[in-house]
C-alpha cells in the first residue's frame, strides 16, 4: 500500500469512530452505497466493540470472521 491509501484508510477509520452500532452495521451491509475501504473501516469498529462471547479473544482476522458470521454480514 502506498502512503496515500494508508492515509485515506486511516481517515475513514477516524470518520467512522463516533458512529452508533446500528449505523456501523448499516454501512457494512450497504455494498452498493459505500466503498469497500469505508465498509472495512466501519467493520473494524464493529470488531473492536464486539463482546468477548463472540470474539473469544482470538487474533484480529479470526475475530473479524466471527463478527461477520454473528451479524450475518
Amino acid at each position: 500500500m502506498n502512503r496515500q491509501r494508508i492515509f485515506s484508510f486511516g481517515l475513514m477509520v477516524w470518520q467512522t469512530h463516533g458512529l452508533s452500532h446500528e449505523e456501523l452495521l448499516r454501512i457494512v451491509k450497504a455494498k452498493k452505497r459505500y466503498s469497500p475501504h469505508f465498509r472495512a473501516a466501519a467493520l473494524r469498529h464493529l470488531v473492536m466493540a464486539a463482546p468477548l462471547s463472540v470474539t473469544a479473544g482470538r487474533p484480529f482476522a479470526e475475530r473479524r470472521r466471527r463478527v461477520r458470521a454473528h451479524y450475518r454480514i
Side-chain angles (χ1 to χ4, degrees):
M1 279 180 120
N2 62 19
R3 274 183 217 244
Q4 183 61 35
R5 288 183 64 160
I6 292 170
F7 178 75
S8 175
F9 184 70
L11 185 62
M12 289 179 201
V13 171
W14 180 76
Q15 289 171 339
T16 57
H17 174 64
L19 299 178
S20 69
H21 186 77
E22 292 79 22
E23 290 174 320
L24 292 171
L25 276 173
R26 183 179 49 82
I27 289 170
V28 173
K29 289 180 179 181
K31 291 185 178 183
K32 293 186 178 184
R33 185 168 181 167
Y34 299 104
S35 72
H37 286 99
F38 193 72
R39 291 184 8 249
L43 180 61
R44 180 173 291 264
H45 288 295
L46 282 176
V47 170
M48 299 311 285
L52 191 59
S53 61
V54 174
T55 60
R58 302 289 183 177
F60 184 79
E62 179 66 23
R63 285 186 297 171
R64 187 179 60 226
R65 284 190 288 271
R66 287 175 177 244
V67 167
R68 289 179 68 97
H70 178 72
Y71 292 117
R72 294 182 181 96
I73 301 172

